[in-house]
Amino acid sequence: MRLSCNAPYGDGGLGRHLAERIEAERSRGMLAGYYAGTVKPGDEGIARAVRPRVVTLLRVATPVRFSRGWSNFLAGDIFDRAVAAQLDTPCESFLGFAGKSLRSFERARELGAERLILAAPNSHVRRVESRHAAAYAQHGVESSWMNAAQIAKTLREYEKADVIEVNSEYTRNSFLEQGVAEAKLERTYLTPHPRFQPSATRPEDGRFRVVYIGPMTTLKGVPELLDAFARLSDPDAELVLMGGPASRPGRKHFEPLVKADPRIVVAPGDPLPRLQAADVCAHPSWEDGFGYAVAEAMACRVPVIVTENTGAMEYVREGINGYVIETGDADQLYERLVFLHEHRLRVAPADVPEFSAPSVR
């Protein structure tokens, strides 16, 4: 099998997803090669780093930099075309990621690929479109990272794929609702990196620590999180945001809110130390096919608060290792934060889910 995704190997949620698929094929002895933003050290003989310079130029020196939708679409499409141009030998199977694989699929099929596999990190593109619309209707802060061109391309990839990999029941159901044949869907399972483990010691200073991992965007539910946290009366509570704004409008909106509350810390970097000291990981996303941050927190035995539009919600056991709330509901988020502030939830080792199979909520 050959695989392709413009994410850096192992970096971020998409990069971790790519790395898991690569290593799965390697362990089976089926890895013929892969294309990625960066490759694993030592893989240079079977992998190619594809980083078209034109993408950087578009994002820096053209009006594309003002449009998240076009910037994201063109980055994926240019990568896709570059991979297609480099495909020159037959392979039995080719796996690409949604929104970045149409041209590669066409070229792989020309070279005799019998099986085209599409990895779907998010729910069905029509579900994503509707969730984005709902988020922006409620807040109107930013524009979507997805545009009409991306939607059209992704729908064509769905048609061309022989198999669509879905990594949560939330994602799987979104495809079934759109009429995709059940036989075309293959359930896969994503896991947090093994380094995510609880610390032997944790702070005992009584401070209530909330951690959020991800970009500071409307789609990730940051407006709801800032609203809910602002209502906490504890002057010593702490909210750590492990990521910054992803757009100019987002920066203009979020930075004043963050600066207005000295209890909020913006600290990009390795989330592991922050998780190991946290009392709760809040992930109030408007749409997430899985949500690696949720799995990483659970692996560290940190309770989570997730929305009903987060794929990893299937691993949440209410009141045991976390809570599921309605999407976009700052009041529910606040209520859960207050409850956890007053009743610290300590997750037992037995309550950390096995990510190879869903748990019953």
Side-chain angles (χ1 to χ4, degrees), residues 62-78:
T62 75
V64 167
R65 68 184 187 275
F66 300 115
S67 171
R68 294 180 69 205
W70 278 110
S71 179
N72 181 66
F73 169 72
L74 289 173
D77 195 60
I78 292 169

Side-chain angles (χ1 to χ4, degrees), residues 123-136 144-148 151 155 219 287:
S123 57
H124 191 284
V125 70
R126 291 301 187 192
R127 166 82 63 84
V128 177
E129 180 185 27
S130 68
R131 300 313 307 152
H132 286 202
Y136 297 126
S144 173
W145 54 258
M146 188 176 66
N147 61 10
I151 293 170
L155 289 172
L219 291 173
E287 192 280 331

Side-chain angles (χ1 to χ4, degrees), residues 37-61:
T38 62
V39 304
K40 183 180 182 180
D43 276 356
E44 290 78 11
I46 62 168
R48 298 181 189 178
V50 181
R51 298 187 298 270
R53 288 189 61 198
V54 67
V55 173
T56 301
L57 293 174
L58 284 170
R59 286 175 163 175
V60 173

Side-chain angles (χ1 to χ4, degrees), residues 243-280:
S247 67
R248 286 180 176 85
R251 182 174 295 107
K252 184 177 180 181
H253 177 80
F254 292 122
E255 286 186 348
L257 297 176
V258 170
K259 291 178 180 178
D261 192 336
R263 302 175 302 166
I264 301 176
V265 178
V266 179
D270 185 1
L272 180 57
R274 297 288 185 174
L275 280 175
Q276 290 176 330
D279 292 291
V280 60

Side-chain angles (χ1 to χ4, degrees), residues 23-359:
E23 298 311 321
E25 295 307 316
R26 196 195 308 270
S27 67
R28 295 171 57 226
M30 301 298 290
L31 181 62
Y34 66 90
Y35 304 84
T38 62
V39 304
K40 183 180 182 180
D43 276 356
E44 290 78 11
I46 62 168
R48 298 181 189 178
V50 181
R51 298 187 298 270
R53 288 189 61 198
V54 67
V55 173
T56 301
L57 293 174
L58 284 170
R59 286 175 163 175
V60 173
T62 75
V64 167
R65 68 184 187 275
F66 300 115
S67 171
R68 294 180 69 205
W70 278 110
S71 179
N72 181 66
F73 169 72
L74 289 173
D77 195 60
I78 292 169
F79 170 85
D80 180 19
R81 292 172 185 271
V83 170
Q86 294 184 43
L87 281 172
D88 52 13
T89 55
C91 61
E92 181 180 335
S93 301
F94 183 90
L95 182 149
F97 279 63
K100 319 168 195 304
S101 302
L102 182 61
R103 310 303 174 187
S104 306
F105 272 6
E106 292 171 344
R107 178 58 178 158
R109 190 71 91 187
E110 286 177 2
L111 292 170
E114 298 177 4
R115 200 164 184 250
L116 299 178
I117 305 166
L118 188 70
N122 295 90
S123 57
H124 191 284
V125 70
R126 291 301 187 192
R127 166 82 63 84
V128 177
E129 180 185 27
S130 68
R131 300 313 307 152
H132 286 202
Y136 297 126
Q138 182 158 312
H139 298 290
V141 175
E142 304 160 290
S143 60
S144 173
W145 54 258
M146 188 176 66
N147 61 10
Q150 180 88 332
I151 293 170
K153 180 177 181 179
T154 304
L155 289 172
R156 290 180 66 189
E157 290 169 346
Y158 293 164
E159 294 174 359
K160 288 186 176 294
D162 299 303
V163 174
I164 299 174
E165 291 187 349
V166 293
N167 50 60
S168 67
E169 289 306 296
Y170 170 76
T171 298
R172 180 176 177 274
N173 289 335
S174 73
F175 278 85
L176 294 176
E177 288 171 4
Q178 290 295 323
V180 177
E182 185 173 6
K184 193 171 187 174
L185 304 177
E186 184 172 303
R187 176 65 201 265
T188 58
Y189 296 90
L190 303 180
T191 65
H193 193 281
R195 74 188 187 92
F196 285 92
Q197 297 287 333
S199 174
T201 60
R202 55 173 291 113
E204 296 295 340
D205 54 8
R207 174 171 289 187
F208 181 63
R209 291 177 170 88
V210 182
V211 171
Y212 162 81
I213 303 170
M216 203 182 299
T217 67
T218 298
L219 291 173
K220 292 295 184 179
V222 173
E224 286 78 26
L225 179 56
L226 293 178
D227 180 342
F229 185 77
R231 294 189 239 168
L232 281 179
S233 59
D234 183 352
D236 294 322
E238 179 183 76
L239 170 61
V240 179
L241 302 173
M242 303 286 305
S247 67
R248 286 180 176 85
R251 182 174 295 107
K252 184 177 180 181
H253 177 80
F254 292 122
E255 286 186 348
L257 297 176
V258 170
K259 291 178 180 178
D261 192 336
R263 302 175 302 166
I264 301 176
V265 178
V266 179
D270 185 1
L272 180 57
R274 297 288 185 174
L275 280 175
Q276 290 176 330
D279 292 291
V280 60
C281 176
H283 191 82
S285 180
W286 283 78
E287 192 280 331
D288 247 308
F290 177 63
Y292 269 105
V294 179
E296 291 164 358
M298 287 181 165
C300 291
R301 291 168 52 190
V302 176
V304 298
I305 302 175
V306 304
T307 66
E308 59 194 0
N309 286 100
T310 301
M313 68 175 175
E314 68 189 53
Y315 297 104
V316 175
R317 297 174 61 197
E318 289 283 330
I320 303 298
N321 61 10
Y323 298 95
V324 179
I325 62 172
E326 292 184 17
T327 306
D329 195 325
D331 292 337
Q332 279 194 26
L333 179 54
Y334 168 68
E335 290 167 4
R336 289 307 183 192
L337 288 177
V338 169
F339 182 84
L340 288 170
H341 179 273
E342 297 175 355
H343 307 86
R344 305 296 170 92
L345 182 61
R346 299 301 181 217
V347 180
D351 297 323
V352 176
E354 294 290 338
F355 292 97
S356 59
S359 300

